[in-house]
Amino acid sequence: MILKGDQILDYKIDKIWQFIVNTDNLAKCLPNVKKLEKIENGFSAKIVVAIGFLKGTFDGKFTYSEVKEPNYLKINGEAKGMGSFVKLSLQINLSQEIDKTKFSWVADVSITGPLASIGNRYINDVAEKIVNDLFSCMLSNLK
């Protein structure tokens, strides 16, 4: 499943880059993160997920597989929980546009297990909420 979006942010590219590569910022801004730890070349996370009538905890490991500061970041990860397995490849592109930055992202998500049977409708709704919460938190913390 491919999820993507973009947003124009009223901050310079360097400020946004420093924010997104800081694991403390991720821990503050990713919804329902119960634990996030920096590991070599990435981070591990324990995240509570609720999709439809299912709710549970996922344990995941995410690595920065490609870094081109300050324009491009690729994060690959895997998480297990609720009898399901999630594989993620996230690409973030930042481009400076005068005093603003265009933040574009594409996530390729593969889900197996009970969560996959729920269907894309619920998963897309949850993903959209996570992204909106992340951007809201990022904007309030960049000020």
Side-chain angles (χ1 to χ4, degrees):
M1 165 179 14
I2 303 292
L3 305 166
K4 59 185 173 179
D6 57 59
Q7 190 163 357
I8 302 295
L9 305 174
D10 289 325
Y11 297 95
K12 294 204 180 250
I13 195 169
D14 292 329
K15 189 167 187 173
I16 294 171
W17 179 264
Q18 291 306 316
F19 188 88
I20 64 173
V21 296
N22 182 312
T23 53
D24 291 334
N25 292 333
L26 287 176
K28 279 191 290 192
C29 286
L30 282 172
N32 301 317
V33 171
K34 297 303 171 200
K35 183 178 182 183
L36 192 139
E37 293 179 347
K38 185 174 173 68
I39 59 173
E40 185 177 342
N41 202 31
F43 58 94
S44 64
K46 183 178 288 281
I47 304 166
V48 175
V49 176
I51 299 178
F53 55 87
L54 295 175
K55 183 177 182 179
T57 302
F58 275 81
D59 291 306
K61 187 182 256 187
F62 305 89
T63 57
Y64 302 126
S65 60
E66 204 173 326
V67 179
K68 296 178 186 170
E69 185 176 345
N71 299 98
Y72 180 78
L73 177 63
K74 183 173 184 181
I75 300 172
N76 289 320
E78 297 178 343
K80 295 177 185 176
M82 301 168 50
S84 296
F85 183 77
V86 177
K87 189 172 182 177
L88 167 75
S89 178
L90 172 65
Q91 297 178 57
I92 298 171
N93 286 287
L94 301 176
S95 57
Q96 189 72 53
E97 299 183 359
I98 306 176
D99 287 341
K100 299 174 189 246
T101 300
K102 183 176 182 182
F103 187 119
S104 302
W105 60 276
V106 176
D108 186 357
V109 182
S110 172
I111 303 170
T112 58
L115 282 183
S117 67
I118 290 177
N120 290 344
R121 189 177 132 235
Y122 287 118
I123 293 169
N124 284 335
D125 290 346
V126 170
E128 186 176 321
K129 182 179 179 344
I130 290 170
V131 169
N132 288 337
D133 290 350
L134 177 63
F135 273 113
S136 294
C137 177
M138 185 183 342
L139 291 174
S140 67
N141 282 280
L142 282 168
K143 292 180 182 176

